[in-house]
Amino acid sequence: MKLKFLLRAALVALLALSVAACGNAGGGEQGGGGGGEGDGPSITVGSKNFTEQFVLGELYAQALEARGFTVERQLNLGSEQIADRALQDGQIDFYPEYTGTALVALLDYSEQQLDGLDTPEATYEEARRLYSERDPANTMLTPADFNNNYGIFVRRDVAEEQGIETLEDLAEASGELRFATYSEFQDRSDGYKNMQENYPGLDFGEIITANDLGLRYQGVTDDRADVGVGFLTDGQLTSDDLVVLEDTKGIWPFYYPAPVVRSDVLEQNPEMEEILNSVSATLNVDVMRDLNGRVDLQQEEPADVAQEHLEAEGLLEQQ
C-alpha cells in the first residue's frame, strides 16, 4: 500500500507541475480538478516529500473540502525550496512549513539572528513577519502545538555499551560509529555542520546517505549503521530498540508547522484561516507521532489516517 501511494503521489506531482507550467494553477476562483468537488472556490494544496507532510496536506485538504471547497492536491513536491517556489509562482495556494525551516532555509535568516529567538512564539512571529514582507506576500497561519525537531537516535545496544545518552556523549564515541543521514541534513546550515560546530570532536567513522527516512531507521535497527537522524514526531521513535539523544546545548531552532498561504488567496477566501487553524489546533507531538506511525509502520494511506482523525475531531461535518 505504501509503495503504491508513493508512486501515485510522485506521478501526480510531476503531472501537476507540468500543467502548472502552462498557466496559473492556484488562487481564489482559479484552478480545480484532481480533488474533492465542492461548490466553493478551488484551492491547491501542496506538501513536501515525507510522511508528515503527506498527512498534514491531507488533513488541511479534507477539512477544506468538508466546508465546500474544491481542493486540488500537489503533494510530494520535494524539498522546501521546491514547495516554496511553487507557492511563489502560484502553482499552489498553500503548504505546511516549519517555522525554523522557513527562517533557516527560505527567508535568509542568519545564525546570529536565530540565537535571539529563544521561544517558539518569537520564532513564529519572525517567520510570519518575513513572509508578509515578500512579493508576492505570504501569510503563515497559527502553528500546531508541536516541535518537529531533529531527532538523533542510536540503537539501544550501542547506547548502553558505550554510555551514550546525549549529543556530547555521541561526539566522544563518534569515531567508531556509522551515521545514517540524508543529503539535505548534511548540507543545511542547521544540520550536520551545526552539530559539528557545537559538539567538538563529532566525526563519524562512516557516513551513510539514505534519503528515504524508513531506510535510515531500518539501517540502524539492522546493524548497517549505529546512529541515525530523523524527526521527533517519527512513529519509528516509539521503538524500544532506539534511544533518542538529548541535545544538551539546544543547538536547533524551533520547528513548529503551520500553513503558509498566498496572502491574495487568503484575502479572497478569509474563511480559510479559521478552517486551517482548527485543524492545527487538534495536533500535538503525541498525535502526530501516532498519525505518522500508522503510515510508516502500519502501512496505512495518509488520506485514510487524516480522515479518521478529522472525523474523531468533528471537522468533517458539513457546514
Side-chain angles (χ1 to χ4, degrees), residues 61 83 97 115 165 265:
E97 187 54 272
D115 289 341
E165 297 181 352
V265 173

Side-chain angles (χ1 to χ4, degrees), residues 28-276:
E29 301 291 334
Q30 299 182 30
E37 297 296 327
D39 56 7
S42 178
I43 296 295
T44 303
V45 56
S47 84
K48 295 192 281 184
N49 58 345
F50 53 92
T51 295
E52 183 165 295
Q53 285 276 306
F54 303 151
V55 175
L56 289 172
E58 280 291 343
L59 286 168
Y60 293 127
Q62 292 183 33
L64 287 170
E65 288 169 343
R67 297 287 289 270
F69 284 83
T70 296
V71 180
E72 179 182 348
R73 291 157 173 79
Q74 291 191 18
L75 308 184
N76 199 22
L77 288 171
S79 68
E80 56 266 8
Q81 287 82 9
I82 294 173
D84 183 64
R85 177 47 53 195
L87 181 73
Q88 290 298 91
D89 289 348
Q91 296 169 8
I92 60 175
D93 294 317
F94 77 95
Y95 80 100
E97 187 54 272
Y98 303 88
T99 52
T101 298
L103 292 175
V104 169
L106 302 175
L107 300 173
D108 296 325
Y109 213 68
S110 71
E111 293 184 23
Q112 290 77 15
Q113 290 173 301
L114 279 172
D115 289 341
L117 302 177
D118 55 1
T119 67
E121 294 77 14
T123 305
Y124 163 64
E125 290 298 337
E126 193 65 356
R128 180 180 174 88
R129 179 183 69 82
L130 292 175
Y131 271 124
S132 70
E133 294 176 355
R134 301 171 106 190
D135 184 19
N138 308 136
T139 301
M140 186 174 230
L141 301 182
T142 303
D145 188 22
F146 67 87
N147 184 17
N148 189 15
N149 211 327
Y150 294 115
I152 307 299
F153 58 91
V154 180
R155 197 170 59 255
R156 183 170 295 277
D157 64 309
V158 173
E160 292 177 349
E161 287 173 6
Q162 304 205 29
I164 302 173
E165 297 181 352
T166 69
L167 291 183
E168 289 179 299
D169 298 334
L170 180 65
E172 294 180 6
S174 60
E176 300 178 357
L177 302 177
R178 301 161 293 173
F179 181 45
T181 182
Y182 60 105
S183 54
E184 186 178 353
F185 183 78
Q186 296 303 106
D187 295 337
R188 273 175 51 158
S189 63
D190 63 336
Y192 188 63
K193 299 172 186 177
N194 188 27
M195 287 178 63
Q196 287 188 308
E197 289 173 2
N198 286 281
Y199 290 100
L202 186 73
D203 187 16
F204 289 102
E206 182 180 358
I207 293 180
I208 303 164
T209 301
N211 288 328
D212 181 273
L213 180 66
L215 292 180
R216 295 201 296 280
Y217 280 105
Q218 186 175 352
V220 172
T221 56
D222 289 352
D223 195 19
R224 285 174 285 152
D226 307 298
V227 184
V229 55
F231 304 96
L232 293 182
T233 55
D234 291 341
Q236 292 92 332
L237 291 181
T238 59
S239 171
D240 290 335
D241 295 329
L242 301 174
V243 176
V244 181
L245 303 184
E246 181 184 357
D247 171 22
T248 52
K249 297 182 179 180
I251 67 173
W252 285 303
F254 299 95
Y255 301 92
Y256 282 63
V260 178
V261 191
R262 288 173 50 202
S263 297
D264 60 333
V265 173
L266 198 60
E267 291 172 2
Q268 297 170 30
N269 305 282
E271 65 273 27
M272 284 180 62
E273 181 167 4
E274 181 273 326
I275 297 169
L276 299 180

Side-chain angles (χ1 to χ4, degrees), residues 281-302:
T282 69
L283 303 174
N284 58 43
V285 66
D286 293 326
V287 169
M288 203 69 235
R289 187 176 286 180
D290 175 66
L291 299 179
N292 291 337
R294 288 174 58 185
V295 175
D296 285 330
L297 304 178
Q298 301 177 35
Q299 307 300 302
E300 296 184 46
E301 293 281 357

Side-chain angles (χ1 to χ4, degrees), residues 304-319:
D304 296 337
V305 169
Q307 180 179 342
E308 288 186 23
H309 175 76
L310 293 172
E311 286 176 344
E313 296 290 336
L315 293 179
L316 290 187
E317 299 173 1
Q318 297 288 336
Q319 300 189 23

